[in-house]
């Protein structure tokens, strides 16, 4: 492991809303000394029903904001944003440390016993070429069942993790898959790990549920190591939160979703740029 001390630049973690907090939790567990910035583009959530070209512009604006805040590495903690903007971003900034996401079909294909895997993700994620490539590379020997879970991202954005409506959306997705013999479910949207307890209630404990967050956190560690950017300080890292939506609403939800109380700063889109609100 690299032991070089570097000034404490933060890791930027970005999602359309609260979904990326599932990744933030995993990064914090693995790299507790790192300072983090979390950016939720809640003025535009959900991304999953927007055209990919539109999401690509949003990804670029969000990533530029995080760069301006001094982020030493950016995590696109959103499958939809990664599907839309990862390649574009790598072309723009080939040397900038970046970690994106793709639906975790590979581990699911390795773990399924029935050969039947369910993938829960947004419509845009399923439409992107990244998903097509994942299927081609890793799902040759398994049968995939896909569900977009309409309305689920909005429910989770409101903090409705166990309400009857949330349950109904999940049942509509999962019960038909179970009838087909699906034994492994991929969380192909970073919002969805928040409802894993409910998924397990519906499916029974026998269902394997794949949350990619720990693997993403390990990838963050690897990329930081490669760039000699790991922060090995002993003090606990800090977290700063930003949203383009309602800061107070996000602040109210944080204890439920992360166990943390924290202030949230408001951002506003000016054209294709994210800027701090004057009152923030
Ligand atoms: N969290 C995002 C993802 O992983 C999607 C949520 C949205 O539709 O905005 O795909």
């Amino acid at each position: 492991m690299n032991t070089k001390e570097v000034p404490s630049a933060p890791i930027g973690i970005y999602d359309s809303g609260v979904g990326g907090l599932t990744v933030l939790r995993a990064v914090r567990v693995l790299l507790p000394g790192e300072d983090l910035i979390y950016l939720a583009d809640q003025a535009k959530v959900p991304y999953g029903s927007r055209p990919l070209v539109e999401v690509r512009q949003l990804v670029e604006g969000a990533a530029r904001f995080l760069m301006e805040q001094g982020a030493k590495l950016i995590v696109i903690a959103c499958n939809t944003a990664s599907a839309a903007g990862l390649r574009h971003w790598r072309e723009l900034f080939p040397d900038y440390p970046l970690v994106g996401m793709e639906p975790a079909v590979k581990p699911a294909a390795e773990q399924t016993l029935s050969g039947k895997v369910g993938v829960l993700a947004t419509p845009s994620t399923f439409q992107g070429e990244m998903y097509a490539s994942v299927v081609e590379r890793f799902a040759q020997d398994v049968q995939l069942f896909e569900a977009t879970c309409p309305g689920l991202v909005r429910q989770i954005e409101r903090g409705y993790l166990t309400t009857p409506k949330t349950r109904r959306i999940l049942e509509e997705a999962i019960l038909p898959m179970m009838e087909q013999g699906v034994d492994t479910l991929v969380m192909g949207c970073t919002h969805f790990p928040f409802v894993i307890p409910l998924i397990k209630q519906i499916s029974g404990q026998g269902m394997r549920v794949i949350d990619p967050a720990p693997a993403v956190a390990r990838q963050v560690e690897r990329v930081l190591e490669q760039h000699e950017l790991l922060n090995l300080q002993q003090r606990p890292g800090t977290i700063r939160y930003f949203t383009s939506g309602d800061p107070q609403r996000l602040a109210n939800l944080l204890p439920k979703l992360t166990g943390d109380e924290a202030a949230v700063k408001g951002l506003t889109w000016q054209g294709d740029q994210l800027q701090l609100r004057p009152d923030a």
Side-chain angles (χ1 to χ4, degrees):
M1 183 183 278
N2 177 0
T3 52
K4 187 171 153 190
E5 283 279 351
V6 291
S8 173
I11 297 169
I13 302 180
Y14 152 61
D15 178 47
S16 59
V18 298
L21 294 171
T22 60
V23 174
L24 177 139
R25 288 189 306 198
V27 170
R28 202 166 45 163
V29 168
L30 188 67
L31 303 168
E34 294 288 347
D35 294 327
L36 309 178
I37 302 179
Y38 187 78
L39 168 56
D41 187 13
Q42 291 175 301
K44 307 286 184 180
V45 70
Y47 278 7
S49 42
R50 293 177 187 272
L52 288 170
V53 282
E54 183 186 343
V55 177
R56 193 169 68 192
Q57 283 310 112
L58 299 174
V59 173
E60 191 177 329
R64 282 187 195 280
F65 174 80
L66 289 170
M67 285 171 90
E68 283 160 22
Q69 300 303 308
K72 62 183 175 182
L73 174 146
I74 291 173
V75 187
I76 303 185
C78 174
N79 291 267
T80 311
S82 296
L86 193 58
R87 211 177 66 184
H88 176 61
W89 180 253
R90 283 200 206 283
E91 279 164 14
L92 280 178
F93 301 101
D95 300 324
Y96 201 92
L98 181 69
V99 172
M101 299 190 65
E102 62 182 22
V105 170
K106 182 172 186 240
E110 287 162 0
Q111 290 176 37
T112 176
L113 298 178
S114 66
K116 295 181 178 182
V117 169
V119 184
L120 309 185
T122 68
S124 299
T125 295
F126 285 129
Q127 281 154 24
E129 55 191 51
M130 181 186 274
Y131 183 68
S133 149
V134 163
V135 171
E136 194 180 315
R137 282 180 288 145
F138 306 122
Q140 293 304 323
D141 300 325
V142 297
Q143 201 178 345
L144 292 183
F145 297 79
E146 293 155 6
T148 57
C149 303
L152 186 55
V153 168
R154 281 186 199 278
Q155 290 293 102
I156 294 170
E157 280 292 309
R158 293 181 182 126
Y160 298 161
L161 306 185
T162 53
T163 60
K165 183 171 174 190
T166 303
R167 187 182 186 98
R168 204 164 52 243
I169 295 170
L170 283 169
E171 282 176 347
E172 276 170 20
I174 295 168
L175 293 179
M177 291 183 178
M178 290 174 66
E179 275 166 30
Q180 300 286 329
V182 165
D183 68 352
T184 307
L185 277 180
V186 175
M187 301 292 98
C189 167
T190 52
H191 280 70
F192 297 169
F194 282 125
V195 290
I196 289 177
L198 184 53
I199 290 175
K200 293 265 188 181
Q201 268 182 30
I202 295 167
S203 69
Q205 293 300 320
M207 181 73 81
R208 290 176 185 74
V209 180
I210 302 199
D211 172 4
V216 173
R218 288 193 296 275
Q219 179 64 6
V220 169
E221 184 180 41
R222 271 193 296 273
V223 175
L224 287 176
E225 252 171 12
Q226 280 161 13
H227 288 81
E228 304 195 352
L229 288 170
L230 267 178
N231 182 349
L232 300 170
Q233 67 188 2
Q234 294 304 311
R235 70 162 171 84
T238 59
I239 310 181
R240 284 184 291 149
Y241 294 92
F242 295 91
T243 180
S244 60
D246 180 344
Q248 195 51 51
R249 214 172 115 179
L250 179 55
N252 292 343
L253 259 185
L254 283 177
K256 183 171 193 175
L257 299 180
T258 65
D260 265 357
E261 296 215 6
V264 179
K265 289 196 167 156
L267 304 175
T268 177
W269 281 101
Q270 298 285 348
D272 54 10
Q273 287 184 10
L274 267 177
Q275 291 175 359
L276 270 179
R277 280 187 212 156
D279 55 344

